[in-house]
């Protein structure tokens, strides 16, 4: 309990890097940093860090490549990308490679600290949820191993979305609620609902038989997204 969370900051710009180091030390983290891509990758693959903050544009090897290499080794490693480029393509690329979140420069330090805390919190609570989710279309999702069968694998964020929708499967969940409950945004923060839509689209490509006609994650007009789970489980009356 008393262990300080370990954070790795991979950032080549001195002013940003030293600022981040100071902020996270102040907030009680044990901080390590790297200036170049290869050095960042080597440290990131050590498995020592609870969180990795990863700049995109780095000398040597860029942050997307590093993120991809981290994911090949460890699908559970929390990673937040720091991107100066704000086009949707870059955001989509970062998320596709498995980053848990991204923060666009220039960012508010307070917001970054909150995002880090939210990702760490989800990484911890992820262990206590249902071991599997059974969808209406027969797909069985293994929440511990982030997969469904051998062919379908999920990022931790995608699994968080599935688990939250599953916990609320009797009703649709709005994008704003997902941003607050899954992404950890404070509700008054600037809302980025497109992030939710990107994740839902990716999930549909993985779990729907026909992503253009979704049956497992349905859109309820004006209300949000609803996960359709297997309806008639044996009625033991033991529902949580
Ligand atoms: Ca940079």
């Amino acid at each position: 309990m008393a262990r300080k969370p370990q954070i790795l900051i991979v950032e080549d710009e001195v002013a940003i890097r030293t600022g981040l180091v100071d902020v996270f030390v102040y907030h009680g983290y044990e901080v390590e940093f790297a200036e170049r891509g290869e050095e960042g990758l080597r440290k990131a693959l050590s498995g020592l860090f609870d969180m990795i903050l990863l700049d995109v544009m780095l000398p040597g090897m860029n942050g997307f490549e590093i993120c991809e290499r981290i994911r090949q080794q460890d699908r559970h490693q929390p990673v937040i990308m720091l991107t100066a480029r704000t086009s949707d393509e870059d955001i989509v690329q970062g998320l596709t490679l498995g980053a848990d979140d991204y923060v666009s420069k220039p960012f508010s330090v307070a917001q970054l600290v909150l995002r880090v805390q939210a990702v760490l919190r989800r990484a911890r609570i992820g262990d206590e949820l249902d071991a599997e989710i059974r969808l209406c279309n027969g797909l069985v999702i293994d929440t511990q191993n982030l997969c469904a069968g051998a062919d379908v694998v999920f990022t931790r964020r995608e699994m968080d979305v599935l688990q939250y929708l599953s916990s609320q499967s009797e009703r649709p969940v709005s994008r704003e609620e997902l941003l607050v409950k899954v992404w950890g945004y404070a509700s008054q923060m600037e809302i980025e609902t497109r992030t939710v839509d990107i994740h839902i689209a990716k999930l549909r490509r993985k779990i729907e038989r026909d992503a253009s006609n979704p049956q497992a994650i349905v859109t309820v007009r004006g209300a949000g997204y609803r996960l359709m789970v297997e309806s008639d489980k044996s009625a033991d009356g033991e529902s949580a």
Side-chain angles (χ1 to χ4, degrees):
M1 291 291 261
R3 187 180 80 90
K4 289 183 175 183
Q6 315 279 313
I7 189 166
L8 173 65
I9 296 167
V10 186
E11 167 65 76
D12 60 314
E13 284 169 67
V14 180
I16 296 178
R17 187 177 66 241
T18 53
L20 288 175
V21 170
D22 288 348
V23 163
F24 282 97
V25 167
Y26 174 78
H27 282 275
Y29 291 75
E30 198 81 58
V31 182
E32 173 76 60
F33 66 84
E35 301 172 40
R36 297 185 56 85
E38 306 88 335
E39 178 195 8
L41 177 66
R42 183 169 47 76
K43 289 182 176 172
L45 293 181
S46 69
L48 294 175
F49 297 99
D50 300 294
M51 168 64 66
I52 297 171
L53 296 185
L54 192 52
D55 185 28
V56 174
M57 299 303 286
L58 291 163
M61 176 184 283
N62 75 39
F64 290 135
E65 203 177 336
I66 295 172
C67 186
E68 198 168 18
R69 296 279 296 275
I70 293 169
R71 276 290 164 269
Q72 286 167 3
Q73 174 174 308
D74 182 359
R75 275 188 285 138
H76 302 273
Q77 171 68 57
V79 176
I80 295 179
M81 308 286 300
L82 308 174
T83 172
R85 305 186 294 178
T86 53
S87 76
D88 284 343
E89 286 75 13
D90 288 334
I91 292 166
V92 171
Q93 189 182 5
L95 296 173
T96 302
L97 295 177
D100 294 278
D101 205 347
Y102 66 90
V103 175
S104 301
K105 294 177 186 173
F107 50 80
S108 127
V109 167
Q111 185 185 33
L112 177 61
V113 171
L114 287 173
R115 298 251 198 127
V116 166
Q117 290 168 344
V119 171
L120 289 175
R121 199 160 52 237
R122 282 186 294 102
R124 281 194 286 269
I125 63 169
D127 301 332
E128 300 161 12
L129 294 165
D130 285 343
E132 57 181 40
I133 299 169
R134 294 177 167 272
L135 299 182
C136 63
N137 63 8
L139 197 71
V140 178
I141 295 167
D142 177 343
T143 64
Q144 298 298 302
N145 294 306
L146 307 184
C147 66
D151 300 332
V152 183
V153 296
F154 302 99
T155 64
R156 175 170 286 285
R157 178 58 61 96
E158 289 168 349
M159 187 57 71
D160 290 338
V161 171
L162 286 171
Q163 283 182 317
Y164 190 73
L165 288 175
S166 171
S167 74
Q168 311 293 322
S169 64
E170 71 286 353
R171 65 177 179 91
V173 177
S174 72
R175 295 146 152 182
E176 289 77 14
E177 179 175 342
L178 284 168
L179 281 167
V180 172
K181 294 294 174 56
V182 177
W183 272 260
Y185 284 78
S187 51
Q188 71 271 24
M189 273 182 177
E190 185 190 341
I191 294 289
E192 297 181 54
T193 51
R194 180 157 164 72
T195 300
V196 175
D197 297 336
I198 291 168
H199 276 79
I200 295 291
K202 285 173 58 198
L203 277 169
R204 281 175 169 160
R205 285 196 292 275
K206 293 183 180 182
I207 68 176
E208 300 284 358
R209 302 204 186 286
D210 174 7
S212 65
N213 181 25
Q215 307 290 315
I217 301 179
V218 299
T219 301
V220 181
R221 199 166 288 278
Y225 296 110
R226 183 174 172 196
L227 189 71
M228 307 306 287
V229 297
E230 190 177 70
S231 53
D232 51 0
K233 275 185 182 173
S234 58
D236 286 346
E238 288 279 331
S239 62

